[in-house]
């Protein structure tokens, strides 16, 4: 089988870490214009914006860089009645996209999770080698890894070596 | 490598995502200033060293990020139950304690 | 080729000849040969020398359990030599270079063999007893000599040139071993549709089917049945077959480590292919179908080349088409060796005799032997083996009922095949701490209570015949599926002409010779004899664990695969106790020797571990920085100009910074965003300092203790807005502090409305320090007035610097006017370059961590982890001012009142000025009372930080010193090997004690 899976670094995207208690999710959802997902690992989308639930009180909001101010403003407006934490982490992380027929197996070189259980559209925080990542399944054969900036070269290095290994056919 | 059932993620996940965080059910005294030296010593340093089922705190560090409690058997290493912070320790059967130790070395 | 190959036998590819070398001599074999089979085909049995006695040795097995035939292999080029490769496993390929081991000057003539003559000196426990005295001999004589002569093979001297890989795999069912049981299990499970992984250590599937003379299976020849079965298995999309893949360890929750060899059999591996891959396979159910290993018999000379396991000879014949000799004697306590004898006889080997220690053997076997004109010697034994580098004759004896042996003369032969019965291979099962129970009737350990979802099939359960193995494999698969709530259709595989049999287990073979004079080997690899084990018992080793450590039985790289049971039987015999009461030593992973590379996987060279770099790091590299590791980060330590060493560079960087301005990459500082209505309250509880009254736009030094009252971390904390704080931590403490905060927040104070987010990598942080710092920044400011009045020390602003959104702090870690600019990470280098250009107008330098350390030490600013060591309180460190006295509580507060924390004799942080200003003390040096020359002297403390201060033109140091505050102004001594240095105890602030420079 010819190896055609690719690894690419994505341009900077807007990212917020959103935290709040359960009782305030309704107000925040209303402000955002879409419902925050309620189960860990689930994502919700509205246009160019999305929210991935990472923990019981934690969501990763993503949007184009230029839409960050809109999100910030709408959530700041609702803060008095629905307290929360909104922290810009756009620059904290680098996104890596892995796509192709062997994307899942390529990731299994360093990810101990059973990736077959990660459904399309879902994402989790997990570990890749020794590096904490947020791993999303964008499609049957497409994944995105969000990695803290200084760890990205290590992850990319591992993926490059793994790609060479897959290309060797052994 | 163990699999650990995160009570928040509701999934059995690889041990590599988790970290041990000490013995469970040791509450910080409400008013430390009122503690005698002996009481405060006990809070700081005195821990049990169980052979068998042990209540522990763990954190799903590289996952949902939450601390939770667990009952784990120190002989078999295995997790017997996991539960959210603030919940009482569940009653569980004492698996593993009667195991044949002839192969220990 | 030569007359050791047997026409029409074996699974080697006779169309493809392969040349390789052994000890410089070129040999020819066929594709599919191992080094051992190819050498045997060339009539070579002598393949190595033993570990301790340097006795000549040849292969005793044909598999991964081989203890004797260990060779060095070169895979070509530097860094590709491997010692202790088992010749019985290594496949040959064109150009393979191999060498024998443990010999000098040559395999045929070895000087070290004198050890064999002196064997009475080298009994068990020899090392412990002999090298005790005189004490002075240890490092000069004993250790060098032992190191030079001990050890197996030669360690590789160059870094491994190959790459290694790893992979996680999740499956419903993992089957370990592809012999009859494993194949039957795989067929059953694969047909039912579950995901199956089948692993086997050999190059092809089949296990014992490859080694045994053809039976008929389902009406076909075994060979065709196997070919059809392999084809069927390979066609299942739900089944993955891995060959050359050894299950080396069985870990918790059905995780099995499998080491797969990818290139060691290839003359020209693909360029980027890894050599080996470690699979971590997590299976819902595991079937262990690893079979059984044939046990050697223990008798004088049982290690001579030409003495071999009967089943090994059968494998060499049926799998490799090699006859291991022309005239063989068979000695056995089990029926299986009779079949081996028949196979060899049918291939033209003269079987001189079958010597069986048992009194009765089935009439069927005896008839078969007679049919082949084989002499049958029941109730007989082999008492000794003659011939040194190859068996030439064996002495036989008749065993009477009382155990007495009467010699009946010798028989000439070139091969002696032995069989002491079969030991179920339960190594992996033992890794799980599954219990073994003693089957007294058959005298074997069998699997008992399980701790994992595993099933054992075939030889591992003591079953011995193809039919039984097939049936058990099917049964194991059905069981595995049943425990998943699934059922599998019955599958019956019918064997015609099956070889069934049984046997007994012996200690040493009976002999009238002195038990303590016989060279009867139990552990071939570690040269442990039966005598050694008996001696260990006589010297008081009552447990098998002690016997093992005293004799080293079972401690070699074969992990006792051949020796454990024999060792146990002999120890039990000497102790007069039944074997299960003496116990069995623990099997530990790996099952077979596994290269370090396989465990390391991708972690070598640049990927050995994570190296974190800031956005500005690339500029530092381009500008000649010398780096140092700080936790996982690599940080610029100093920036030498041409011809400058570290000392010169640091002195210049210090001078320029104090005189004008210096720029420093502080991006690695930990940063935590603390947000929520209870943010200030949370920080009140965590840090010693008060936070409620800190106004937005201001910052403050924060000190963090553990609950035990000792300093854990520190950093500047800024209030961005009422409900938002920007907390900084030390570089190394970032993750630790966030973890500690989350722990308290989640488990103790879940009532607080506050959330924590790591922002370490959100920001690049550039520090500007020095009287001209403001001039560098001012041209690029938007939205903030930098004047001392508008933006005083410890102020912060959200603003724009150089066009980038920024958080600007006015803080100082040097005692100079200082600013720290935080901009989104990806813009760090761009801003750095802008400021660097501006700096050229003001004689600005860039400096690294070394200058940072000197400048802060001149001001007495501590580094947590250098000037503190986890036993230092804020009072000890002279930081009492940082404790919010009015706060009712904070983490660690109560501990500060514990009696020991109040003692005046605690070690306290002080400054030291050496009498000789040119002496820079060594960090870590111990401190004693002035003039104390007693040995041992009382240690009063140690130097924590010590530098040459260019600013002051002399050395400075800080130290943790017992009762240090009280000693201010007195002298202490720092004894060093070359001389004792005297120093005066001072305060820790050496420069600008009034702090005027910070407010410029």
């Amino acid at each position: 089988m010819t190896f055609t899976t690719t690894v690419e670094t994505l341009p900077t995207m807007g990212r917020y870490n959103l935290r709040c208690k359960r009782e305030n999710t309704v107000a925040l959802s209303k402000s955002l214009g879409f419902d925050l997902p309620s189960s860990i690992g689930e994502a919700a989308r509205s246009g160019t914006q999305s929210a991935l639930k990472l923990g019981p009180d934690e969501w990763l909001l993503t949007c184009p860089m230029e839409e960050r101010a809109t999100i910030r403003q709408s959530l700041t407006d609702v803060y008095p009645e629905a307290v929360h934490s909104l922290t810009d982490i756009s620059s904290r992380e680098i996104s890596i996209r892995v796509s192709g027929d062997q994307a899942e197996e390529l990731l299994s070189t360093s990810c101990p999770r059973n990736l077959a259980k990660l459904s399309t559209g879902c994402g989790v925080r997990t570990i890749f080698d020794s590096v904490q990542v947020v791993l999303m399944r964008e499609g049957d054969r497409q994944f995105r890894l969000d990695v803290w900036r200084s760890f990205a070269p290590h992850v990319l290095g591992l993926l490059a070596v793994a790609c060479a290994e897959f290309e060797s056919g052994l | 490598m163990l699999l650990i059932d995160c009570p928040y993620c509701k999934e059995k996940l690889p041990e590599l995502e988790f970290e041990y965080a000490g013995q469970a059910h040791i509450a910080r005294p409400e008013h430390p200033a009122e503690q005698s030296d002996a009481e405060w010593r006990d809070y700081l340093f005195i821990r049990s060293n169980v052979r068998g089922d042990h209540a522990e705190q763990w954190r799903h560090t590289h996952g949902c990020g939450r601390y939770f409690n667990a009952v784990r058997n120190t002989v078999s290493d295995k997790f017997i139950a996991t539960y959210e912070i603030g919940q009482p320790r569940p009653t569980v059967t004492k698996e593993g304690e009667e195991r044949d130790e002839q192969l220990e070395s | 080729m030569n007359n050791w190959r047997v026409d029409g036998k074996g699974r080697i590819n006779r169309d493809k000849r392969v040349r390789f070398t052994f000890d410089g001599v070129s040999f020819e074999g066929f594709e599919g040969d191992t080094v051992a089979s190819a050498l045997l085909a060339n009539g070579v049995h002598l393949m190595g020398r033993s570990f301790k006695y340097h006795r000549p040795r040849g292969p005793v097995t044909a598999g991964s359990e081989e203890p004797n035939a260990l060779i060095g292999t070169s895979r070509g080029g530097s860094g590709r030599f491997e010692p202790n490769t088992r010749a019985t496993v290594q496949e040959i390929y064109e150009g393979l270079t191999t060498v024998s081991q443990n010999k000098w000057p040559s395999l045929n003539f070895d000087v070290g063999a004198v050890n064999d003559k002196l064997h009475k000196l080298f009994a068990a426990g020899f090392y412990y007893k002999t090298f005790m005295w005189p004490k002075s001999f240890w490092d000069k004589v004993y250790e060098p000599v032992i190191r030079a002569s001990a050890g197996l093979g030669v360690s590789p001297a160059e870094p491994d040139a190959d790459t290694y890989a790893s992979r996680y795999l999740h499956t419903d069912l993992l089957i370990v071993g592809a012999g009859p049981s494993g194949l039957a299990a795989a067929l059953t499970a694969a047909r039912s549709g579950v995901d199956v992984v089948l692993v086997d250590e050999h190059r092809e599937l089949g296990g014992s089917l490859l080694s045994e003379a053809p039976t008929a299976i389902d009406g076909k020849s075994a060979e065709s049945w196997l070919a059809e079965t392999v084809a069927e298995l390979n066609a299942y999309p739900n089944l993955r077959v891995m060959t050359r893949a050894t299950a080396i360890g069985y870990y918790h929750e059905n995780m099995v480590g499998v080491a797969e060899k990818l290139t060691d059999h290839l003359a020209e591996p693909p360029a980027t292919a890894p050599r080996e891959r470690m699979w971590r396979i997590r299976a819902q159910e595991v079937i262990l179908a690893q079979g059984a290993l044939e046990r050697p018999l223990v008798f004088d000379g049982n290690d001579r080349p030409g003495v071999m396991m009967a089943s090994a000879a059968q494998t060499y014949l049926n799998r490799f088409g090699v006859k291991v000799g022309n005239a063989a004697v068979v000695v056995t306590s089990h029926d299986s060796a009779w079949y081996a004898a028949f196979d060899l006889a049918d291939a033209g080997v003269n079987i001189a005799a079958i010597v069986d220690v048992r009194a009765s053997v089935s009439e069927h076997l005896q008839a078969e032997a007679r049919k082949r004109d084989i002499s049958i010697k029941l109730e007989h034994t082999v008492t000794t083996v003659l011939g040194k580098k190859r068996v030439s004759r064996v002495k036989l004896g008749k065993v009477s009922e009382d155990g007495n042996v009467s010699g009946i003369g010798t028989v000439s032969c070139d091969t002696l095949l032995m069989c002491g019965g079969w030991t179920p291979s339960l190594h992996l099962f033992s890794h799980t701490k599954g219990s073994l129970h003693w089957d007294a009737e058959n005298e074997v350990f069998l699997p008992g209570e399980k701790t994992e979802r595993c099933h054992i099939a075939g030889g591992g359960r003591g079953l011995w015949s193809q039919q039984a193995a097939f049936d058990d494999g099917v049964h194991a698969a059905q069981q595995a599926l049943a425990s998943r709530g699934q059922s599998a259709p019955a599958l019956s595989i019918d064997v015609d002409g099956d070889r069934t049999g049984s046997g007994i287990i012996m200690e040493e073979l009976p002999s009238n010779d002195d038990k303590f004079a016989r060279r009867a080997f139990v552990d071939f690899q570690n040269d442990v004899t039966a005598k050694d084990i008996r001696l260990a018992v006589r010297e008081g080793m009552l447990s098998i664990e002690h016997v093992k450590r005293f004799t080293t039985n079972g401690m070699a790289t074969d992990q006792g695969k051949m020796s454990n049971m024999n060792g146990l039987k002999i120890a039990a015999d000497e102790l007069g106790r039944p074997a299960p009461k003496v116990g069995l030593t623990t099997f530990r992973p790996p099952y077979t020797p596994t290269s370090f590379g396989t465990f390391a996987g991708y972690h070598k060279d640049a990927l050995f571990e994570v190296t974190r770099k800031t956005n500005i790091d690339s500029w530092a590299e381009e500008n000649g920085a010398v780096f140092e590791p700080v936790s996982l980060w690599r940080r610029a330590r100093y920036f030498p100009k041409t011809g400058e060493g570290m000392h010169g560079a640091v002195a210049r960087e210090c001078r320029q910074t104090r005189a004008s301005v210096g720029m420093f990459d502080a991006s690695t500082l930990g940063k935590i965003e603390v947000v929520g209505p209870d943010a200030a309250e949370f920080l009140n509880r965590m840090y010693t300092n008060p936070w409620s009254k800190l106004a937005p736009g201001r910052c403050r030094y924060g000190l963090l203790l553990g609950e035990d009252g000792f300093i854990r971390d520190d950093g500047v904390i800024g209030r961005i807005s009422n409900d938002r704080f920007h907390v900084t931590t030390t570089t190394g403490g970032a993750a630790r502090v966030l973890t500690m905060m989350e722990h308290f927040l989640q488990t103790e104070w879940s009532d607080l409305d506050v959330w924590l987010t790591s922002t370490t990598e959100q920001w690049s942080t550039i520090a500007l320090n020095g009287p001209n710092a403001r001039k560098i920044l001012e041209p690029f400011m938007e939205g903030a007035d930098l004047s001392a009045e508008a933006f005083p020390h410890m102020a912060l602003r959200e603003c724009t610097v150089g066009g980038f959104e920024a958080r600007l702090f006015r803080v100082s870690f040097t005692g100079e006017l200082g600013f720290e600019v935080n901009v989104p990470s990806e813009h760090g280098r761009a801003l750095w370059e802008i400021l660097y250009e501006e700096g050229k107008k003001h004689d600005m330098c860039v400096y690294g961590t070394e200058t940072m350390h000197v400048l802060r030490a001149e001001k007495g600013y501590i580094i947590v982890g250098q000037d503190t060591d986890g036993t230092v309180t804020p009072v000890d460190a002279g930081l009492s001012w940082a404790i919010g006295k009015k706060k009712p509580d904070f983490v660690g507060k109560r501990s500060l009142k514990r009696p020991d924390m109040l003692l005046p004799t605690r070690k306290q942080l002080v400054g030291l000025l050496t009498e000789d200003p040119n002496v820079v003390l060594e960090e870590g040096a111990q401190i004693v009372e002035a003039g104390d020359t007693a040995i041992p002297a009382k240690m009063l403390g140690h130097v924590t930080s010590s530098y040459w201060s260019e600013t002051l033109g002399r050395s400075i140091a800080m130290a943790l010193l017992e009762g240090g505050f009280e000693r201010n102004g007195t002298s202490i001594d720092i004894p060093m090997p070359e001389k004792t240095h005297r120093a005066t105890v001072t305060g820790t602030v050496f420069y600008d004690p009034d702090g005027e420079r910070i407010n410029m």
Side-chain angles (χ1 to χ4, degrees), chain C residues 213-226:
Chain C
T215 47
I217 304 171
D218 286 347
K220 303 159 199 156
S221 75
E223 200 178 353
S224 340
W225 183 88
L226 180 59

Coordinates of all heavy atoms in Angstrom, one line a residue, chain C residues 213-226:
Chain C
A213 N 7.9 -34.8 12.2 CA 7.7 -35.6 11.0 C 6.2 -35.6 10.7 O 5.4 -35.5 11.6 CB 8.2 -37.0 11.2
P214 N 5.9 -35.6 9.4 CA 4.5 -35.5 9.0 C 3.5 -36.4 9.7 O 3.7 -37.6 9.7 CB 4.5 -35.7 7.5 CG 5.9 -35.6 7.1 CD 6.7 -35.9 8.3
T215 N 2.5 -35.9 10.3 CA 1.3 -36.6 10.6 C 0.3 -36.2 9.5 O 0.6 -35.4 8.7 CB 0.7 -36.2 12.0 OG1 0.7 -34.7 12.0 CG2 1.6 -36.7 13.1
A216 N -0.9 -36.8 9.6 CA -1.9 -36.4 8.6 C -2.9 -35.6 9.4 O -3.4 -36.0 10.4 CB -2.5 -37.6 7.9
I217 N -3.3 -34.4 8.9 CA -4.2 -33.6 9.5 C -5.4 -33.3 8.6 O -5.2 -32.9 7.4 CB -3.6 -32.2 9.9 CG1 -2.4 -32.4 10.8 CG2 -4.6 -31.3 10.7 CD1 -1.5 -31.2 11.0
D218 N -6.6 -33.7 9.1 CA -7.8 -33.6 8.3 C -7.6 -34.2 6.9 O -8.0 -33.7 5.9 CB -8.2 -32.1 8.0 CG -8.8 -31.5 9.3 OD1 -9.1 -32.3 10.2 OD2 -8.9 -30.3 9.4
G219 N -6.9 -35.3 6.9 CA -6.7 -36.1 5.7 C -5.6 -35.6 4.8 O -5.4 -36.1 3.7
K220 N -5.0 -34.5 5.2 CA -3.9 -34.0 4.3 C -2.6 -34.1 5.0 O -2.5 -34.4 6.2 CB -4.1 -32.5 4.1 CG -5.5 -32.1 3.5 CD -5.8 -30.7 3.8 CE -7.3 -30.5 3.6 NZ -7.8 -29.3 4.3
S221 N -1.5 -33.9 4.3 CA -0.2 -33.9 4.9 C -0.2 -32.7 5.8 O -0.8 -31.7 5.6 CB 0.9 -33.9 3.9 OG 1.0 -32.5 3.4
A222 N 0.6 -32.8 6.9 CA 0.7 -31.6 7.8 C 1.1 -30.4 7.1 O 0.7 -29.3 7.3 CB 1.6 -32.0 9.0
E223 N 2.0 -30.6 6.1 CA 2.5 -29.5 5.4 C 1.4 -28.8 4.5 O 1.3 -27.6 4.6 CB 3.6 -30.0 4.4 CG 4.6 -28.9 4.0 CD 5.7 -29.5 3.1 OE1 5.8 -30.7 3.0 OE2 6.4 -28.6 2.5
S224 N 0.6 -29.6 3.9 CA -0.5 -28.9 3.1 C -1.5 -28.3 4.0 O -2.1 -27.2 3.7 CB -1.2 -29.9 2.2 OG -0.4 -31.0 1.9
W225 N -1.8 -29.0 5.1 CA -2.8 -28.5 6.0 C -2.3 -27.1 6.5 O -3.1 -26.1 6.6 CB -3.0 -29.4 7.2 CG -4.1 -28.9 8.2 CD1 -5.4 -29.1 8.1 CD2 -3.9 -28.0 9.3 NE1 -6.1 -28.5 9.1 CE2 -5.1 -27.8 9.9 CE3 -2.7 -27.4 9.9 CZ2 -5.3 -27.0 11.0 CZ3 -2.9 -26.6 11.0 CH2 -4.2 -26.4 11.6
L226 N -1.0 -27.0 6.9 CA -0.5 -25.8 7.4 C -0.5 -24.7 6.3 O -1.0 -23.5 6.6 CB 1.0 -26.0 7.9 CG 1.7 -24.8 8.4 CD1 0.9 -24.2 9.7 CD2 3.1 -25.1 8.8

